Amino acid sequence: MSIERATGDELERPSADSGNVAEKRGGSTRFFNPRRIDIYLQIAFLIAVFAIWECSAIYFGTDFWTSRPSAIAQELVNWANSGLLWTDLKLTLMEAGIGFVIGSALGGLVGFVLGWIRRLGDFFEPFILSIYTLPKIALAPLFVLWFGIGAINKIMFSAMLVFFMVFFTTFQGTRQVDRELVENARLLGASNFGIWTKIAIPYSAVWVFTGIRIGLPYSLIGAIVGEFVAAEAGVGFRIKESTAFFNTAGVFAGLIVLMAISLVLLGALKLIERRALRWQVHNSMDGVVP
Amino acid sequence: MPDAAQRSRDRTAPMIEFKGTRVRFGSLDAIGPVSLSVKRGEFLAVIGPSGCGKSTLLNLVAGTLKPAGGEVLYRGAPVDGVNREIGYITQKNHCLPWRTVEGNIRLPLEFRGYPNGEIASRVTSVLQQVGLAGFEKSYPRQLSGGMLQRVSIARTLAYAPDTYLMDEPFGSLDAQLRLRMHEEIMRLWHQTGSTFVFVTHDLHEAITLADRVVVISRRPGRIKLVVDIDLPRPRDVIDLQSDPRFGAYFKQLWDALDVH
């Protein structure tokens, strides 16, 4: 009854542990393997940059414009000790986080609906395109008018930026769907409901995720720009306030906090992606057979 | 598997009938008129120059295309809308990249509302049949073209359609793999007793597989020649090539194709 089993050469196995192979081949001792050396070099580079920054600031007396690592570190400690660092951080993260969730959900939903319902998408396309090129950041003052200078303003602004990123990606990605895939599903017995649940939604989910990946940094941009324009607290507000007092170290301290937030967000995103898009995780690693 | 007597009795009733069928794309006459009847349980191959409308004939049976004139009957009734009693396998495998091999094979069964237990047992059985056991959890990206084509076949096999429409399914495979797939297809045909309509531009493929080969002319596609392939079954894809009758059929079909 059974037909001969496929041979192994037909299957490309993902070489997920190519790193280990390199490790075994590459070095006699663990200490000198190439990947480790890269990490040491990166750390050394970072230290060198800080050292040059520190020395040149002292030597050339450019403290006022460039500040220097030791002053920035001191500023961070002061900021933390005053308790303001945590409240600022919490506020900015809250604004960006809620904005991100609202923007992603709405952007994904609207992009999905307009992307799949062809007539609706065609109708709205010119309007969508006209908004596409508009620098959305220019709307910030309007948001102050609408939502005041509190957290709501930043949440809405951040949500708006994320919405457009997720919406455009989902809309355009979904419209590219291979119509043959849908037709084939009908031949396989799919009802309209089956097409939506088993083809359309999973297909668009990929694009929603792509949109979310692009949109995530925009949630932070939204919160920070909102705080720049008008605010009473938050990391963005603190940066602006430091600038007003010519406190360069304070500005850099704010930037470093933002960098730390970005790294955390990026890590979270990678974790989510690895779970949700398991089927394409090995993308870059396996030889894709057409 | 129906026995031989059963099969020969069934063969008297036509499964698919084209009656003066014509297809037009805009102002262009693509097909017709074509009149042809495909017997139940028959293996029919359709050959012809590219662009002659071979695939269009399959689309008519699948119901994804309506004839401009004449009729297309499936089991005696006109095809109306998408025909869910057929299995359609093309060069593109249409596997969903986000589903595993198993998930892809489950798809038509889920669409058709089979109970979960039934789905599981059918999936296991067809995976065995096409030699994919052990690859249930692989994603399409991890498989080669030949494996994906097997998934596509398994997926169709799972809901056991009465008719398999195949549109150059092995067009993208290399020669050796093709031969093996030919063996597998013939075995499937024997096992299922289903009707096969197989479109190809490869004469070897057509003669090897089919009971009957239909040659379609250049556009507008009409039936130019119908040849009964009177080679004994079961056929061996390799031995067949050295059979003198194989050569004679090849010559006859080649001349009818009029490639020059």
Side-chain angles (χ1 to χ4, degrees):
Chain A
M1 182 84 180
S2 108
I3 286 165
E4 64 195 288
R5 202 160 174 284
T7 51
D9 59 7
E10 272 185 65
L11 181 83
E12 295 279 327
R13 289 194 185 280
S15 50
D17 45 13
S18 54
N20 290 338
V21 177
E23 205 167 67
K24 274 166 208 152
R25 225 182 268 147
S28 39
T29 64
R30 294 197 125 257
F31 187 83
F32 286 114
N33 88 61
R35 283 177 99 190
R36 286 220 163 185
I37 287 177
D38 278 355
I39 291 169
Y40 296 142
L41 284 175
Q42 283 167 337
I43 294 170
F45 176 75
L46 197 65
I47 292 171
V49 167
F50 280 145
I52 292 168
W53 185 359
E54 183 85 33
C55 295
S56 66
I58 295 168
Y59 185 77
F60 297 110
T62 55
D63 236 26
F64 178 78
W65 295 280
T66 64
S67 186
R68 54 199 161 92
S70 59
I72 296 165
Q74 185 56 50
E75 192 69 30
L76 274 171
V77 171
N78 291 346
W79 194 4
N81 284 340
S82 72
L84 281 176
L85 175 59
W86 308 115
T87 50
D88 286 337
L89 199 59
K90 264 194 285 184
L91 181 67
T92 304
L93 273 180
M94 187 268 285
E95 292 161 352
I98 299 177
F100 174 68
V101 171
I102 295 175
S104 302
L106 286 179
L109 190 70
V110 178
F112 172 73
V113 170
L114 292 192
W116 276 95
I117 304 176
R118 208 134 258 262
R119 287 204 50 184
L120 218 54
D122 288 341
F123 177 81
F124 282 108
E125 194 169 26
F127 306 108
I128 293 164
L129 286 179
S130 61
I131 302 173
Y132 183 74
T133 44
L134 178 80
K136 263 73 70 183
I137 288 181
L139 297 174
L142 205 55
F143 272 65
V144 178
L145 199 66
W146 291 345
F147 301 109
I149 60 164
I152 299 288
N153 165 35
K154 285 90 192 172
I155 290 171
M156 297 314 261
F157 191 62
S158 162
M160 187 266 294
L161 289 187
V162 175
F163 169 85
F164 279 112
M165 295 321 288
V166 178
F167 165 72
F168 285 132
T169 316
T170 310
F171 176 69
Q172 273 164 355
T174 300
R175 270 165 85 86
Q176 284 165 13
V177 70
D178 188 355
R179 291 280 138 182
E180 268 183 50
L181 209 63
V182 175
E183 196 163 82
N184 189 257
R186 285 199 193 282
L187 288 169
L188 291 178
S191 58
N192 281 332
F193 182 73
I195 300 260
W196 280 91
T197 55
K198 297 198 197 299
I199 309 284
I201 291 178
Y203 184 90
S204 290
V206 177
W207 291 103
V208 174
F209 263 105
T210 313
I212 286 177
R213 188 170 42 197
I214 303 170
L216 187 69
Y218 282 85
S219 64
L220 201 55
I221 294 175
I224 298 298
V225 169
E227 287 172 0
F228 277 177
V229 175
E232 289 163 327
V235 178
F237 169 75
R238 221 49 74 184
I239 291 174
K240 202 187 158 205
E241 190 191 45
S242 301
T243 317
F245 291 116
F246 301 110
N247 176 6
T248 320
V251 175
F252 277 105
L255 291 177
I256 283 174
V257 170
L258 287 182
M259 260 157 80
I261 296 176
S262 298
L263 283 178
V264 171
L265 289 180
L266 206 69
L269 194 69
K270 276 198 172 154
L271 208 73
I272 296 168
E273 264 186 352
R274 196 164 298 171
R275 287 183 172 265
L277 304 179
R278 213 162 13 123
W279 55 273
Q280 44 168 235
V281 156
H282 295 299
N283 247 359
S284 51
M285 291 179 180
D286 57 6
V288 175
V289 183
Chain B
M1 177 160 51
D3 59 273
Q6 169 88 35
R7 192 178 254 183
S8 68
R9 184 157 11 93
D10 282 344
R11 278 185 182 215
T12 53
M15 197 71 178
I16 302 164
E17 278 174 284
F18 296 94
K19 286 186 169 171
T21 311
R22 284 181 301 130
V23 173
R24 201 169 284 153
F25 293 127
S27 60
L28 197 73
D29 275 316
I31 283 197
V34 165
S35 291
L36 173 72
S37 126
V38 185
K39 287 175 242 128
R40 193 177 290 262
E42 182 178 11
F43 201 124
L44 182 85
V46 181
I47 60 171
S50 51
C52 73
K54 299 177 296 244
S55 312
T56 309
L57 286 177
L58 296 191
N59 289 336
L60 287 169
V61 181
T64 54
L65 187 74
K66 281 197 187 309
E71 273 188 307
V72 181
L73 303 181
Y74 186 81
R75 248 207 261 262
V79 175
D80 182 24
V82 171
N83 184 352
R84 290 183 184 172
E85 288 170 53
I86 54 101
Y88 203 154
I89 297 165
T90 65
Q91 196 169 331
K92 280 190 172 180
N93 55 68
H94 294 301
C95 286
L96 302 181
W98 59 84
R99 280 182 171 233
T100 58
V101 166
E102 190 184 14
N104 268 290
I105 297 173
R106 288 177 64 97
L107 193 66
L109 303 174
E110 289 174 9
F111 282 151
R112 284 156 198 263
Y114 282 72
N116 256 324
E118 173 82 11
I119 293 181
S121 71
R122 282 193 181 219
V123 169
T124 315
S125 139
V126 297
L127 277 167
Q128 283 287 339
Q129 260 179 292
V130 300
L132 281 173
F135 295 111
E136 292 86 344
K137 302 291 176 213
S138 302
Y139 283 95
R141 270 186 186 278
Q142 296 167 284
L143 303 180
S144 68
M147 305 272 288
L148 288 175
Q149 208 49 271
R150 281 171 214 252
V151 177
S152 175
I153 292 169
R155 180 162 75 172
T156 312
L157 216 61
Y159 65 92
D162 296 323
T163 302
Y164 289 77
L165 305 177
M166 302 193 140
D167 190 358
E168 303 194 19
F170 311 132
S172 59
L173 307 185
D174 65 60
Q176 284 160 300
L177 196 52
R178 250 170 189 243
L179 286 182
R180 210 158 76 211
M181 295 306 279
H182 290 162
E183 279 177 356
E184 297 187 7
I185 284 298
M186 282 196 281
R187 214 167 316 186
L188 282 181
W189 177 66
H190 277 292
Q191 282 169 8
T192 58
S194 298
T195 310
F196 278 61
V197 182
F198 195 104
V199 164
T200 178
H201 59 253
D202 180 345
L203 294 184
H204 278 111
E205 194 165 66
I207 301 166
T208 305
L209 297 173
D211 292 326
R212 211 152 52 115
V213 179
V214 174
V215 183
I216 306 286
S217 70
R218 268 172 221 290
R219 201 186 289 263
R222 291 203 181 89
I223 293 177
K224 204 169 178 185
L225 182 71
V226 181
V227 179
D228 285 299
I229 305 296
D230 216 353
L231 295 168
R233 289 189 191 267
R235 297 175 185 170
D236 182 288
V237 293
I238 305 299
D239 292 350
L240 214 55
Q241 313 254 349
S242 52
D243 192 309
R245 285 169 295 180
F246 190 93
Y249 285 130
F250 191 93
K251 177 88 174 71
Q252 188 185 4
L253 292 170
W254 179 261
D255 290 341
L257 265 182
D258 188 24
V259 234
H260 310 292

